[in-house]
Amino acid sequence: MKITAAQIAERYASMTDEELQSLDPGKLTPEAATLRAEELARRGAVESPAMEEERASRERETEKRLARSVARRRLAVALAVAALLTELALPRVVELPRAATGALVAAFCVLAIYVWRRRA
């Protein structure tokens, strides 16, 4: 089912000013964002600079969280690779007791899981 511009405009007209202003134009289609701006202008309820700055600040914070998440995931993958190398390649280079190699692999795996699942 295709939603038309008229349906979007009708929906926006039925919303309160607060509901309409809470919609993030960056997450709307270009057409929907234009209709939102037109409805706000029609009501004389244009976003204040403070609201625009707050929205931009939230977007910057979201981008920072995403970047940190990607960095954590890469670190977790690197730790998993280190565990594999410890299991497969290290015994060919260095002679360690099997228990020591197993402990290193377990430590790398636990760290990888911790880093991957950590919330921050």
Side-chain angles (χ1 to χ4, degrees):
M1 181 173 107
K2 183 162 173 63
I3 298 174
T4 66
Q7 290 171 316
I8 295 171
E10 183 180 316
R11 169 78 172 128
Y12 288 171
S14 71
M15 297 172 84
T16 65
D17 288 352
E18 292 79 23
E19 289 173 329
L20 198 56
Q21 289 172 336
S22 70
L23 294 175
D24 185 354
K27 294 183 179 177
L28 300 173
T29 64
E31 185 178 63
T34 300
L35 290 169
R36 174 189 172 274
E38 289 172 359
E39 180 62 26
L40 284 171
R42 184 186 69 76
R43 296 179 187 191
V46 180
E47 285 187 312
S48 68
M51 290 177 70
E52 289 177 12
E53 178 56 36
E54 180 184 335
R55 185 182 317 281
S57 175
R58 281 194 315 262
E59 288 175 4
R60 285 191 300 273
E61 186 57 37
T62 300
E63 288 173 10
K64 286 179 187 177
R65 274 196 314 272
L66 179 61
R68 285 191 304 263
S69 175
V70 168
R72 278 196 321 273
R73 300 292 169 113
R74 287 181 179 159
L75 176 58
V77 169
L79 287 166
V81 168
L84 284 171
L85 290 174
T86 300
E87 178 66 27
L88 301 175
L90 189 64
R92 294 183 179 150
V93 179
V94 178
E95 200 167 312
L96 288 174
R98 184 73 186 131
T101 303
L104 282 172
V105 169
F108 282 131
C109 289
V110 167
L111 283 171
I113 291 168
Y114 172 76
V115 168
W116 187 274
R117 294 183 53 94
R118 190 173 135 226
R119 306 276 188 247

